[in-house]
Amino acid sequence: MNQPLVLGIETSCDETAVGIVRGRTLLANVIASSVEEHARFGGVVPEIASRAHLEAMAPTIKKALKDANVSLKDIDAVAVTAGPGLVGALLVGVGSAAGLAIGLDKPIYAVNHLAAHVSVDYLTHDQPLEPTIALLVSGGHSSLLQVNDITSSITKLGQTIDDAAGEAFDKIARVIKLGFPGGPAIDAMAQQGNEKAIEFPRGLTTSNDWQNRPFDFSFSGLKTAVARYLESTPDYIKQDVAASFQESIVDVLMLKALAACKESGIDSLVIAGGVAANSRLRAVAMARCEKAGIRLRIPSPALCTDNGAMVASLGALMAAAHAKASPVAFDADSSLPVTTVSLS
Ligand code: KG4
Ligand code: ZN
């Protein structure tokens, strides 16, 4: 199966997403989001997400098949996010994917959402990228990974010890009243601000931290610093707060990602996950990687945030590598570690 036709289902959070790929070619990427139903609560409400997944699943699969111009019987394998994520939300995707795999009598790949974020880059670039360092920055996770083989061997170099990067964006956006999700709103507002206006702290970058936890992140001190600044500066300029806050995050992410490349001797970096859509992160990453002689890959912004193409991509890579398929009866795992690429 060199060019397997794989349908991928993603329901770990508030997006019901279905992607179809043939090998490394993207054929369809359909996303139904329930974000508007959560916005008034300022965050994703699990019960609302699960219900929305149930309602959206069949139409989203149908639309993806139509966009890809294939029919269900053409599918060679089904892939689905098995975790990490909201368990009730994951279960809707897992149940649907298992039903499809049984009905079609095709293999199923129960894959890791975080590994899938990284694997989506394989739809854009032909050259194999392993081994590579991966900076994975989303709403629930911020980690530095060493990817030796995307289908089977990922090691974790470090992770956030408190908030995820995307979570920090969402929290600060809430305090400066930019709505939910906060990342895209801060990104847009920061473009009109001065990133040097306020000197916010850079988490875990003292010489002691570089010694003891060089590849871990912390964003809670930054969050407190922003809150203090807002309290003490009633006439603050929103644009400058957004730009300076964003700069602190981007600076630390890139400092640590490049340090991981240097320490491991790996000259390739992939940045993945929702925060990788951030325009400032993309620009700073490009400039600093060029300077450091690191090959940089960042998926297009639409493929950075949650989608079904990334799940299909990882499933297709697993099928092409003749990886063992998952048993059809498996449990969703809300805290599946990134080192477990798939359930077998
Ligand atoms: O990967 P993702 O879609 O879902 C999770 O797996 O968590 O990431 C969502 C996160 C949210 O916190 C959102 O605010 C953030 O990614 N995000 C951004 C941008 N677009 C999405 N953060 C900064 N700048 C952006 N342009
Ligand atoms: Zn995600």
Side-chain angles (χ1 to χ4, degrees):
M1 244 198 276
N2 258 340
Q3 294 281 303
L5 185 68
V6 179
L7 181 145
I9 297 180
E10 153 62 37
T11 61
S12 68
C13 193
D14 57 334
E15 279 91 8
T16 314
V18 178
I20 299 178
V21 306
R22 188 183 296 283
R24 289 183 168 198
T25 307
L26 178 60
L27 301 183
N29 190 25
V30 182
I31 301 174
S33 173
S34 58
V35 67
E36 278 164 22
E37 294 172 57
H38 307 284
R40 68 194 171 99
F41 300 103
V44 175
V45 183
E47 290 78 6
I48 295 178
S50 304
R51 179 166 292 275
H53 287 313
L54 275 173
E55 283 167 5
M57 184 57 68
T60 308
I61 292 175
K62 276 192 193 139
K63 171 91 170 47
L65 291 166
K66 188 159 177 261
D67 286 2
N69 200 19
V70 297
S71 67
L72 262 186
K73 66 175 173 27
D74 301 325
I75 300 292
D76 295 312
V78 180
V80 63
T81 299
L86 303 168
V87 75
L90 288 166
L91 280 171
V92 179
V94 163
S96 309
L100 272 182
I102 293 168
L104 296 169
D105 194 21
K106 295 292 178 188
I108 185 166
Y109 294 99
V111 302
N112 187 303
H113 178 83
L114 308 173
H117 266 303
V118 177
S119 82
V120 80
D121 186 71
Y122 288 68
L123 298 176
T124 330
H125 296 103
D126 285 340
Q127 297 298 318
L129 41 73
E130 298 118 323
T132 188
I133 298 299
L135 170 65
L136 177 84
V137 271
S138 70
H141 295 82
S142 297
S143 325
L144 267 170
L145 312 170
Q146 180 171 329
V147 181
N148 299 313
D149 180 335
I150 188 68
T151 64
S152 62
S153 169
I154 298 181
T155 53
K156 187 151 62 176
L157 305 177
Q159 64 183 346
T160 181
I161 59 167
D162 40 57
D163 292 348
E167 197 179 351
F169 271 97
D170 295 336
K171 285 180 177 168
I172 294 305
R174 198 178 312 154
V175 236
I176 58 173
K177 302 195 173 56
L178 288 181
F180 174 84
I186 290 198
D187 192 345
M189 176 129 304
Q191 283 170 30
Q192 284 125 45
N194 174 6
E195 74 277 3
K196 296 198 180 79
I198 313 152
E199 186 61 37
F200 285 130
R202 268 60 171 160
L204 294 188
T205 56
T206 65
S207 53
N208 202 14
D209 296 324
W210 279 115
Q211 282 280 313
N212 297 322
R213 43 192 354 157
F215 307 130
D216 285 338
F217 301 104
S218 167
F219 301 112
S220 74
L222 169 62
K223 198 176 59 188
T224 312
V226 175
R228 279 214 195 103
Y229 177 84
L230 297 179
E231 262 172 40
S232 63
T233 322
D235 55 349
Y236 65 82
I237 300 167
K238 240 184 208 190
Q239 287 83 348
D240 288 349
V241 174
S244 303
F245 157 78
Q246 177 177 269
E247 198 66 9
S248 165
I249 297 212
V250 167
D251 188 28
V252 173
L253 292 177
M254 287 316 300
L255 281 173
K256 300 217 165 197
L258 289 179
C261 290
K262 197 166 174 203
E263 167 127 350
S264 62
I266 293 174
D267 68 350
S268 162
L269 174 67
V270 178
I271 309 184
V275 179
N278 184 268
S279 62
R280 182 68 185 157
L281 177 59
R282 300 172 80 90
V284 171
M286 231 191 300
R288 292 196 195 173
C289 284
E290 198 185 319
K291 205 164 162 214
I294 303 292
R295 291 177 298 140
L296 171 70
R297 298 178 184 192
I298 318 181
S300 65
L303 292 179
C304 287
T305 44
D306 287 352
N307 63 80
M310 65 191 213
V311 179
S313 173
L314 186 49
L317 289 164
M318 308 225 33
H322 305 288
K324 194 161 174 268
S326 305
V328 112
F330 60 86
D331 277 336
D333 183 347
S334 61
S335 52
L336 189 66
V338 65
T339 45
T340 305
V341 179
S342 73
L343 302 182
S344 57

